[in-house]
Amino acid sequence: MNKLVIALLLSCVCISANAGPQQEKMKTCNADAKTKALAGDERKAFMKECLSADGASTGLTAQQNKMKTCNADAKTKALAGDERKAFMKSCLSAK
């Protein structure tokens, strides 16, 4: 069972490493919705607005968007201290 979970996680990492701009936007919007604990119609409305929003209108650079996504991911994983620092370094250096 553990091997299956590890294989699944590794495949997710490989897929996300090749993600395009739309996939990155989806990832960011999902992470934001999760941190806001949105569900049902509220989540649907948020996702629709988030995904249709132009990246330039937020005023964030690509690196700032990456930082936002990595922070949200670290928060959902409840990482702290050295574990968070290592995750952020890995996440921010990923292409």
Side-chain angles (χ1 to χ4, degrees), residues 1 10 18 25 30 36 40 44-45 51 56 60 77 95:
M1 181 68 177
L10 288 175
N18 295 323
K25 195 173 200 181
N30 270 323
K36 293 179 181 183
K44 248 189 236 181
L51 291 172
L60 299 177
K77 294 178 181 183
K95 288 192 175 190

Side-chain angles (χ1 to χ4, degrees), residues 5-92:
V5 172
I6 292 171
L8 181 62
L9 289 174
L10 288 175
S11 66
C12 289
V13 169
C14 292
I15 291 170
S16 66
N18 295 323
Q22 187 62 28
Q23 288 96 347
E24 283 298 318
K25 195 173 200 181
M26 182 68 147
K27 185 177 177 184
T28 302
C29 292
N30 270 323
D32 290 348
K34 191 169 190 175
T35 57
K36 293 179 181 183
L38 300 176
D41 290 337
E42 197 174 44
R43 181 183 173 87
K44 248 189 236 181
F46 173 80
M47 291 298 288
K48 182 177 181 181
E49 182 179 330
C50 183
L51 291 172
S52 65
D54 183 15
S57 68
T58 61
L60 299 177
T61 65
Q63 184 63 25
Q64 289 169 325
N65 279 327
K66 196 173 198 180
M67 182 69 147
K68 185 177 177 183
T69 301
C70 292
N71 271 323
D73 290 349
K75 187 174 182 178
T76 59
K77 294 178 181 183
L79 299 176
D82 290 337
E83 195 175 44
R84 180 183 173 86
K85 195 182 289 185
F87 171 79
M88 291 297 289
K89 182 178 180 181
S90 169
C91 183
L92 291 171

